[in-house]
Amino acid sequence: MSDIPTRVPPDSPLAPQCITNTRSKVYLSPRLWYLRVNIIEAQDLVVPGDKNRNPEVYVKAALGNVKLRTRVSADKSLNPRWNEDLMFVAVEPFYDHLVLTVVDKNNEEEIS
C-alpha cells in the first residue's frame, strides 16, 4: 500500500510524489530469424533388415518444438533426392538444435 499515492483532501489532485516514484517499463521483444533448410539428397543409405528392398523415405526436421517433414522421395533408391525447402522461425538467443532424420515410410524407423 506504500506505493499508492495519497490525496490530502478527498477532492484534491494526486500528490506530486507519485510522479517521482513512477518508472517506465521496458519490454524486450526477441529478434526473430527465418531459417530455411534445403533438403537436397541422401547418399548411400543403409537399410536395416531386407537389403534387397529400396526404401521409401522422407526427412523429419525438428527445431525446438517445431517439427516439419518433407514429402516421400520419388527416387526409391539408396540415394534419394528431394530438393525441398523447410522454413523455421528461430528466436535469439539460439539454444535449440536443428535435428534432421531420414525415416523409412514403410517401417517408420530411422535409416542411417
Side-chain angles (χ1 to χ4, degrees):
M1 299 300 276
S2 64
D3 46 330
I4 298 174
T6 57
R7 299 187 333 175
V8 181
D11 294 330
S12 69
L14 291 176
Q17 76 259 15
C18 73
I19 296 173
T20 59
N21 293 336
T22 307
R23 283 187 163 197
S24 61
K25 295 192 181 210
V26 177
Y27 296 97
L28 300 176
S29 61
R31 294 184 66 182
L32 302 176
W33 296 85
Y34 286 111
L35 175 63
R36 182 178 68 187
V37 179
N38 182 262
I39 309 295
I40 300 172
E41 68 179 320
Q43 296 177 350
D44 302 326
L45 292 177
V46 177
V47 181
D50 188 5
K51 304 284 187 211
N52 298 326
R53 182 179 63 85
N54 287 332
E56 296 182 46
V57 293
Y58 62 91
V59 175
K60 283 193 314 188
L63 181 69
N65 294 331
V66 179
K67 294 171 180 49
L68 300 175
R69 61 171 277 187
T70 64
R71 57 179 164 58
V72 174
S73 174
D75 297 339
K76 309 240 182 317
S77 69
L78 297 179
N79 299 314
R81 299 181 61 85
W82 292 274
N83 198 21
E84 192 172 328
D85 287 338
L86 302 176
M87 291 288 284
F88 292 95
V89 176
V91 179
E92 279 187 1
F94 304 118
Y95 292 124
D96 297 325
H97 296 279
L98 176 66
V99 178
L100 301 174
T101 309
V102 178
V103 179
D104 187 358
K105 178 184 132 186
N106 296 328
N107 298 6
E108 293 298 323
E109 64 183 21
E110 296 179 9
I111 296 178
S112 55

